[in-house]
C-alpha cells in the first residue's frame, strides 16, 4: 500500500528565510512524487514532480525537492520565503500499481510573517 | 487552454435537495477524477473515469452519490438527497494518458453548503 506522511501540519517562517516542508512516503513500487500548492479558496496547482529522473527536482516559484530513496523522503524547500508563498502544500504519491491515482498527504499550512 | 472548468463555484442548498456539480476537463485529457475536500478528512478521491468509463468508484460515500461522464468533455457529480455532512469543496481533475507520471490538473472547485 502507498501512503504519504507530512510531518508538520503547520509551518511558520519569516519573509526572506528558508522554507522546509517535510514529506515521507511509503510505496512498494517505483513511485512518482508530486508537490501541489493550494492558495486560499483556489484549486490545486502543481509545484513540481519526480518521475525517476533527476533526484533533485526544480519547480515553479523557486521551490525544489529532493527524492531520497534511502530515507523515503521528498522534502520541499525554498531558499527565501515570500509573502505570496503562504498557502497549503500537499505531498502526493502515485505509481503504476495504483494506476496513477494520487494519494495525498494531509497537507502543511505555510504561514509567512513579514 | 482554459484549464479544468467547474460549475457552479458555490452552491448553497437545503437538506434533501438534489445537487448537480459539473466539470469540463482539459481537451485531450482522457482521465477525469472527482475529489472531495473537508477539514476533517482532507482530500478524498471519490471516483475516476478513463475514456469516459468509470474505473473505480470505491470512494463514493453512499448511494446518494452518483457520477456520469456522457462524453469526453463533460462530467457530472450528483448528490440526491443532499445532507449537511456533504458540505465540502468538490474538485474535478483531469489527466493526459500516460498513467502515473502525468500530473493531474485541478479545477477551481465547487464549494457546497447543505443547510
Amino acid at each position: 500500500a502507498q501512503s504519504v506522511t507530512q510531518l508538520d501540519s503547520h509551518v511558520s517562517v519569516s519573509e526572506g528565510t528558508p522554507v522546509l516542508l517535510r514529506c515521507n512516503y511509503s510505496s512498494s513500487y517505483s513511485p512518482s512524487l508530486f508537490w501541489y500548492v493550494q492558495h486560499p479558496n483556489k484549486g490545486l496547482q502543481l509545484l513540481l514532480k519526480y518521475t525517476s529522473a533527476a533526484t533533485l527536482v526544480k519547480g515553479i516559484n523557486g521551490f525544489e525537492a529532493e527524492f531520497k530513496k534511502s530515507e523515503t523522503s521528498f522534502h520541499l524547500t525554498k531558499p527565501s520565503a515570500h509573502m505570496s508563498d503562504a498557502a497549503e502544500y500537499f505531498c502526493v504519491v502515485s505509481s503504476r500499481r495504483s494506476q496513477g491515482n494520487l494519494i495525498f498527504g494531509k497537507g502543511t499550512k505555510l504561514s509567512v510573517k513579514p | 487552454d482554459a484549464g479544468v472548468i467547474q460549475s457552479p463555484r458555490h452552491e448553497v442548498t437545503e437538506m434533501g435537495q438534489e445537487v448537480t456539480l459539473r466539470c469540463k476537463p482539459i481537451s485531450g485529457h482522457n482521465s477525469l477524477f472527482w475529489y472531495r475536500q473537508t477539514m476533517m478528512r482532507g482530500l478524498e478521491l471519490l471516483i475516476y473515469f478513463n475514456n469516459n468509463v468509470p474505473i473505480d468508484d470505491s470512494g463514493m460515500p453512499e448511494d446518494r452519490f452518483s457520477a456520469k461522464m456522457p462524453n469526453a468533455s463533460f462530467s457530472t457529480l450528483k448528490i440526491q438527497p443532499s445532507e449537511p455532512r456533504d458540505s465540502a469543496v468538490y474538485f474535478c481533475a483531469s489527466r493526459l494518458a500516460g498513467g502515473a507520471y502525468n500530473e493531474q490538473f485541478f479545477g477551481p472547485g465547487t464549494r457546497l453548503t447543505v443547510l
Side-chain angles (χ1 to χ4, degrees), chain A residues 30 32 34 36 38 41-44 46 49 51-52 88 90 94-96 98-102 104 106, chain B residues 9 33 35 37 40-41 43 45 48 55-56 91 95 98-108 111:
Chain A
S30 297
S32 293
F34 307 82
Y36 279 84
Q38 184 178 28
N41 300 313
K42 301 285 188 183
L44 285 84
L46 181 71
K49 66 177 180 179
T51 57
S52 76
E88 188 149 23
F90 294 91
S94 171
S95 77
R96 289 197 183 280
S98 66
Q99 300 182 50
N101 290 343
L102 302 182
F104 282 82
K106 295 292 187 185
Chain B
R9 293 293 309 276
F33 304 79
Y35 292 88
Q37 185 179 37
M40 292 296 294
R41 300 173 68 92
L43 268 159
L45 176 66
Y48 80 95
I55 302 301
D56 183 358
F91 289 103
R95 184 183 70 196
Y101 304 119
N102 287 340
E103 66 266 29
Q104 295 180 18
F105 292 81
F106 284 77
R111 183 174 296 275

Side-chain angles (χ1 to χ4, degrees), chain B residues 18-59:
Chain B
E18 177 180 297
V19 175
T20 300
L21 311 181
R22 297 173 176 81
C23 176
K24 177 178 168 54
I26 292 173
S27 177
H29 285 191
N30 70 335
S31 295
L32 183 141
F33 304 79
W34 282 102
Y35 292 88
R36 178 172 66 176
Q37 185 179 37
T38 61
M39 289 289 290
M40 292 296 294
R41 300 173 68 92
L43 268 159
E44 304 171 277
L45 176 66
L46 299 177
I47 185 172
Y48 80 95
F49 296 83
N50 275 351
N51 297 315
N52 313 338
V53 176
I55 302 301
D56 183 358
D57 65 354
S58 59

Side-chain angles (χ1 to χ4, degrees), chain A residues 64-102:
Chain A
E64 63 182 39
E66 186 171 8
F67 174 71
K68 292 186 176 180
K69 187 175 181 179
S70 61
E71 299 176 9
T72 60
S73 70
F74 190 58
H75 301 334
L76 182 70
T77 60
K78 182 173 181 177
S80 176
H82 192 273
M83 295 296 291
S84 61
D85 294 328
E88 188 149 23
Y89 292 79
F90 294 91
C91 183
V92 184
V93 66
S94 171
S95 77
R96 289 197 183 280
R97 178 67 177 85
S98 66
Q99 300 182 50
N101 290 343
L102 302 182

Side-chain angles (χ1 to χ4, degrees), chain A residues 10-70:
Chain A
H10 192 189
V11 170
S12 182
V13 301
S14 296
E15 191 174 22
T17 64
V19 175
L20 170 64
L21 305 183
R22 298 182 294 167
C23 172
N24 286 99
Y25 70 92
S26 172
S27 177
S28 302
Y29 301 85
S30 297
S32 293
L33 292 158
F34 307 82
W35 276 98
Y36 279 84
V37 61
Q38 184 178 28
H39 287 92
N41 300 313
K42 301 285 188 183
L44 285 84
Q45 179 186 17
L46 181 71
L47 272 181
L48 50 81
K49 66 177 180 179
Y50 165 77
T51 57
S52 76
T55 56
L56 182 62
V57 181
K58 293 188 184 299
I60 61 172
N61 301 334
F63 284 93
E64 63 182 39
E66 186 171 8
F67 174 71
K68 292 186 176 180
K69 187 175 181 179
S70 61

